[in-house]
Amino acid sequence: MNVQELTLTCGNPACRARLTVRVKVPTQAKEVKCPKCGYLNPLPPLSAPQPPVDDEGTLLQDNEKTWIQNADATKPTLPEVLGWLIVHDEKTSAQTFNLKQGLNTVGRVSQKSPSDLMIQTQDRYMSRPHCTIEVKINKLGQVDYVLQDGARQPDGSRKNSQNGTFLNGQEPALHPSEQIYLKDGDTIQIGETKVVLKTYQMSESLQKAHRQVEGSDYTRTILSFT
């Protein structure tokens, strides 16, 4: 029986502990309990081990030690757009931004210091740029969305935001060195403006992502700036 090691972030907004889980494949388990808070986190789909084959696709004998896998045949094809960031705020008009693999900087519109995703807003508490969402493919072929306050500068240094980055209406703000694994529906507050992450796995299309966000309640705004 094959064993896969998964790295998860607890879905409890008040916990967000980093979990390392070893799971036997195949398995009947669908959830894993966080040892810190007891929250039941759903397990992602697990892939079954592939039989060993040679370059011609012929099954190798059990006594052969080399496993040759056709990575292109088993690796899923991912779309260019891997998610969306949707402004969902009482004061700022709805706006949608595509998330692509790699670093996506987010901030206020600026010609002098542009971000990848620039929000049209009068929010003077939002930096330009303000935070970074890195979209990356993990070892299991799944997409991770990693949030960090601040952004990398042209000289290679990293500059923090002026007023911090908040997640799901919780205080305190993220520590500048903290990297948080996001999940679908997480609300990020930059300045006084809130944006919602929608992943392509859960939404499938921009239209569906819009409907899901528009039908949800606003997350509370952190009022620590005034």
Side-chain angles (χ1 to χ4, degrees), residues 87-186:
V87 176
H88 188 55
D89 187 80
E90 300 92 331
K91 297 181 180 180
T92 304
S93 61
Q95 299 164 58
T96 303
F97 303 93
N98 294 337
L99 290 171
K100 298 183 179 181
Q101 186 173 351
L103 293 175
N104 300 265
T105 56
V106 187
R108 183 158 47 99
V109 169
S110 171
Q111 296 298 324
K112 184 178 180 180
S113 302
S115 302
D116 298 316
L117 314 180
M118 293 194 289
I119 299 174
Q120 292 279 357
T121 179
Q122 299 299 317
D123 186 352
R124 61 192 177 95
Y125 297 106
M126 185 189 302
S127 299
R128 40 186 185 179
H130 193 105
C131 67
T132 301
I133 297 177
E134 182 179 6
V135 180
K136 58 184 181 180
I137 314 301
N138 62 31
K139 293 181 180 179
L140 298 177
Q142 299 163 342
V143 184
D144 287 331
Y145 306 82
V146 183
L147 172 67
Q148 186 173 4
D149 180 69
R152 188 178 300 165
Q153 301 299 296
D155 62 1
S157 63
R158 191 173 187 88
K159 183 179 180 181
N160 303 331
S161 69
Q162 185 174 355
N163 294 297
T165 300
F166 300 84
L167 184 62
N168 294 325
Q170 302 293 319
E171 296 187 81
L174 273 63
H175 188 276
S177 64
E178 189 174 11
Q179 295 183 332
I180 297 292
Y181 281 72
L182 300 172
K183 66 180 186 302
D184 183 81
D186 276 345

Side-chain angles (χ1 to χ4, degrees), residues 19-138:
L19 310 177
T20 300
V21 184
R22 294 177 61 85
V23 182
K24 293 182 179 180
V25 180
T27 180
Q28 299 297 319
K30 296 183 179 180
E31 298 173 318
V32 59
K33 180 182 290 186
C34 174
K36 185 176 180 180
C37 69
Y39 184 86
L40 292 177
N41 294 275
L43 286 174
L46 302 176
S47 57
Q50 300 297 315
V53 295
D54 62 15
D55 291 337
E56 302 298 325
T58 304
L59 290 175
L60 298 176
Q61 299 298 318
D62 291 340
N63 60 353
E64 295 190 45
K65 296 181 179 180
T66 304
W67 283 45
I68 306 172
Q69 298 180 344
N70 187 341
D72 292 337
T74 58
K75 185 177 179 180
T77 302
L78 296 174
E80 181 180 359
V81 176
L82 294 172
W84 301 273
L85 207 60
I86 301 177
V87 176
H88 188 55
D89 187 80
E90 300 92 331
K91 297 181 180 180
T92 304
S93 61
Q95 299 164 58
T96 303
F97 303 93
N98 294 337
L99 290 171
K100 298 183 179 181
Q101 186 173 351
L103 293 175
N104 300 265
T105 56
V106 187
R108 183 158 47 99
V109 169
S110 171
Q111 296 298 324
K112 184 178 180 180
S113 302
S115 302
D116 298 316
L117 314 180
M118 293 194 289
I119 299 174
Q120 292 279 357
T121 179
Q122 299 299 317
D123 186 352
R124 61 192 177 95
Y125 297 106
M126 185 189 302
S127 299
R128 40 186 185 179
H130 193 105
C131 67
T132 301
I133 297 177
E134 182 179 6
V135 180
K136 58 184 181 180
I137 314 301
N138 62 31

